[in-house]
Amino acid sequence: MTTSTPTVVLVHGAFADAASWSGVIAELQSNGIPVVAPANPLRGLASDAAYLASVTSQIDGPVVLVGHSYGGALITVAGATENVVGLVYVAAYILEEGESLGELQGRFPDAPLVSNLKQWDYPVSDGNPAVEVTIAQDAFPSIFAADVPAEVTSVLAVAQRPLAASAFTESASVAAWETKPSWALVAGADQAINPEVQRFAAKRAGATVLEIRGASHAVAVSQPKQVADLIRAAVRATS
């Protein structure tokens, strides 16, 4: 059994970037916990998970993977990497093997996010355009970050990183939570991922669950200490 402190790898989701973890990073670093927050390509489940697995496998020692939103689907797959010892889901998708984001979401009523997505075209290597999505700027504050100050959400809304639409239909090749311990934070006031989706998937995965009733999807921004507390619990349990 390892006695070294795991490195925490923080994986952001769609419509955000690694800076969304800033408050959580400060909390973890104050406890001497090593942290890495890579840029998520947001181009598709298989390719993004492969990128994350590559990052993770090059870290010396054990790793706790933390995924927000779509990042949860990625850690589910990349978590099969040998040195991953725990998984933490933050207002996230927790897929089972062979399941897609669309299939998991389809079990429950749509969150307001679905009707407020804007489509954009982008070029791919075969020369044909592909589709990516962002949240309509005027809807972003209420859907993504209702408990975050307006001066912050006004910046987040224009700095969104889009997600390839194909990510919603790709299925998970593996579910690492079947063999590794998991923790899940449910954002009880989430307007991007129906909280019922989060509760169902966390229970199915056998995760240790923390629910924050009034939390928006951007709970890592609005309540970094509580998010960090859950991550610290996972680090302690896997050290």
Side-chain angles (χ1 to χ4, degrees):
M1 185 175 183
T2 181
T3 56
S4 60
T5 300
T7 297
V8 172
V9 176
L10 300 169
V11 184
H12 68 82
F15 322 125
D17 60 24
S20 61
W21 293 112
S22 295
V24 175
I25 291 168
E27 287 280 342
L28 296 175
Q29 288 181 335
S30 73
N31 291 112
I33 297 171
V35 187
V36 177
N40 180 351
L42 301 176
R43 296 296 84 177
L45 180 55
S47 62
D48 293 345
Y51 175 78
L52 177 59
S54 175
V55 171
T56 301
S57 66
Q58 294 176 73
I59 295 172
D60 291 333
V63 167
V64 169
L65 283 180
V66 182
H68 173 246
S69 190
Y70 166 67
L74 301 187
I75 72 169
T76 295
V77 177
T81 308
E82 187 175 355
N83 62 332
V84 174
V85 295
L87 308 165
V88 182
Y89 295 92
V90 179
Y93 293 107
I94 310 175
L95 301 179
E96 66 178 359
E97 184 176 344
E99 184 177 52
S100 69
L101 299 181
E103 288 167 340
L104 174 56
Q105 286 193 142
R107 295 170 179 262
F108 299 92
D110 286 342
L113 169 76
V114 176
S115 59
N116 285 280
L117 291 175
K118 181 172 181 177
Q119 293 192 354
W120 308 78
D121 290 341
Y122 71 97
V124 291
S125 57
D126 66 5
N128 294 312
V131 175
E132 61 186 11
V133 292
T134 58
I135 302 172
Q137 280 190 29
D138 60 347
F140 184 94
S142 63
I143 287 174
F144 198 88
D147 56 353
V148 175
E151 63 269 22
V152 177
T153 58
S154 65
V155 174
L156 297 178
V158 299
Q160 293 180 61
R161 290 191 53 214
L163 175 66
S166 61
F168 291 101
T169 56
E170 289 186 56
S171 59
S173 58
V174 65
W177 51 259
E178 293 183 346
T179 57
K180 299 182 182 185
S182 61
W183 291 257
L185 187 153
V186 174
D190 200 326
Q191 300 294 298
I193 301 177
N194 186 335
E196 286 299 322
V197 172
Q198 299 175 41
R199 295 183 191 110
F200 165 81
K203 182 178 180 181
R204 181 176 66 181
T208 299
V209 179
L210 167 67
E211 178 156 352
I212 304 179
R213 288 182 180 271
S216 76
H217 193 59
V219 62
V221 178
S222 64
Q223 305 202 43
K225 184 181 184 302
Q226 288 188 264
V227 173
D229 283 345
L230 185 64
I231 297 169
R232 281 188 280 251
V235 168
R236 286 194 299 270
T238 56
S239 292

